[in-house]
Amino acid sequence: MKELVRPSRLTPGARVAVVAPSGPVPEERLQAGLDILRGWDLDPVVGPHVLDRHGEFGYLAGTDADRAADLQNAWCDPSVDAVLCARGGYGAMRMVELLDWNALRAAGPKVLVGFSDVTALHEAFAARLGLVTLYGPMAAGIDFIKNARAQEHLRSTLFAPETVRTIASGGRALVPGRARGVTLGGCLCLLASELGSAHARPGARGGLLCLEDVGEETYRLDRYLTQLLRADWLDGVRGVLLGSWERCEPYESVRALLLDRLGGLGVPVVEEFGFGHCEGALTIPFGVAAELDADTGTLTLAEPALR
């Protein structure tokens, strides 16, 4: 697994576009998020379909074509320095094929931020554009709006990435050890769903794999992990970082499953690393070389996430 191209960091006055590639966005939360971005001396602009709701499928923020158009137009706008997703939910994987990847590539490297369902975009941007992306809080997300740690870690990553070269989570070793590799990952169910897609990487070989999920029963988590194992997608992985498992079954049950499915890989595994669907979620860059120390619960980046 190769390191990916790092976009440039943001500077005061930078224009950032907010888009909704997945689920519908509550207007009051969007406005609160925009106020925070303005407080960072950014110039946020909102895609025209961010507040849409699909006429038939209420879990989508407008039609696939409109969501894809918002993302593509924002990315291809030369005045925009970063694209921030408003929220996750479901829907990003429905519109990936509608994007003009040649046009996105020609627009040059920019910052993409989001998590949860945005995992489909992280994979596509890695596979099709070769870009580092940020798995972090979203502009209309409750955690971004209300949690100071989530805000500050994302802000530092965007503006002063050299200050967060070492990400200390307070996590602990599920399987002890140290490993080096290139970061990747996201929401477990999305990674399993992306198997075989032309817009996703063929496996995690050489990687430090970050996994988390939300609202899943343990047998479903078992199924996703078993699917990845059976597809040989985890062959050659160097280490695993486990984030949050919010609204899943009691963590003792989830922890036992994670150890059962991942413990046999023979690589370091750190649990409760503090990213994903949790309060104060840390921002994790994907596509950068790093060292995982499961015993100290740290991830040290070889270079800052952004140039």
Side-chain angles (χ1 to χ4, degrees):
M1 184 167 295
K2 298 179 181 179
E3 297 176 59
L4 304 182
V5 174
R6 296 177 298 141
S8 297
R9 69 187 65 197
L10 300 187
T11 56
R15 173 164 289 185
V16 297
V18 178
V19 300
S22 306
V25 179
E27 183 172 7
E28 66 279 4
R29 281 174 29 192
L30 174 63
Q31 294 304 323
L34 295 175
D35 286 344
I36 292 170
L37 296 175
R38 294 187 186 103
W40 292 359
D41 200 16
L42 293 172
D43 176 22
V45 294
V46 179
H49 299 287
V50 165
L51 294 175
D52 285 4
R53 185 181 290 265
H54 195 285
E56 187 173 5
F57 306 119
Y59 50 81
L60 298 173
T63 66
D64 296 344
D66 286 342
R67 299 195 320 279
D70 274 7
L71 174 58
Q72 179 153 327
N73 291 337
W75 194 265
C76 294
D77 183 341
S79 72
V80 169
D81 300 297
V83 174
L84 280 57
C85 297
R87 64 155 292 183
Y90 171 75
M93 65 189 304
R94 286 179 55 121
M95 43 76 85
V96 169
E97 276 77 16
L98 301 180
L99 296 169
D100 183 339
W101 290 98
N102 290 328
L104 295 178
R105 187 177 301 106
K110 299 183 180 185
V111 179
L112 175 73
V113 184
F115 76 106
S116 191
D117 178 63
V118 182
T119 296
L121 293 179
H122 287 290
E123 277 292 288
F125 273 62
R128 302 301 298 272
L129 303 182
L131 288 183
V132 167
T133 54
L134 301 180
Y135 195 79
M138 292 181 278
I142 294 175
D143 195 46
F144 177 68
I145 294 168
K146 296 187 175 181
N147 192 284
R149 185 176 94 148
Q151 292 175 15
E152 188 52 40
H153 198 258
L154 175 58
R155 182 178 183 177
S156 296
T157 304
L158 291 172
F159 287 94
E162 68 280 354
T163 66
V164 285
R165 283 271 301 276
T166 295
I167 303 174
S169 67
R172 61 182 186 271
L174 188 65
V175 178
R178 300 171 70 174
R180 294 182 179 179
V182 176
T183 55
L184 78 159
C187 196
L188 172 58
C189 65
L190 266 297
L191 291 172
S193 298
E194 286 289 308
L195 282 177
S197 167
H199 300 283
R201 284 170 286 199
R205 180 175 297 277
L208 297 177
L209 178 61
C210 304
L211 296 175
E212 61 96 20
D213 217 316
V214 61
E216 296 282 3
E217 296 182 59
T218 303
Y219 84 91
R220 293 179 182 271
L221 298 175
D222 187 331
R223 184 171 67 200
Y224 304 141
L225 288 169
T226 301
Q227 185 177 6
L228 294 177
L229 288 165
R230 293 182 67 207
D232 299 329
W233 197 86
L234 295 174
D235 285 5
V237 70
R238 301 278 181 81
V240 181
L241 296 83
L242 301 172
S244 64
W245 307 95
E246 292 292 306
R247 301 199 302 277
C248 296
E249 294 184 5
Y251 185 62
E252 293 77 9
S253 173
V254 173
R255 186 179 191 272
L257 169 70
L258 295 170
L259 184 59
D260 176 82
R261 296 284 78 191
L262 301 173
L265 294 174
V267 301
V269 180
V270 63
E271 61 180 334
E272 299 188 308
F273 202 81
F275 65 90
H277 296 78
C278 58
E279 291 186 11
L282 300 169
T283 297
I284 308 293
F286 288 165
V288 298
E291 180 176 77
L292 168 65
D293 188 332
D295 300 287
T296 61
T298 57
L299 179 71
T300 302
L301 309 180
E303 295 182 293
L306 306 177
R307 293 187 288 110

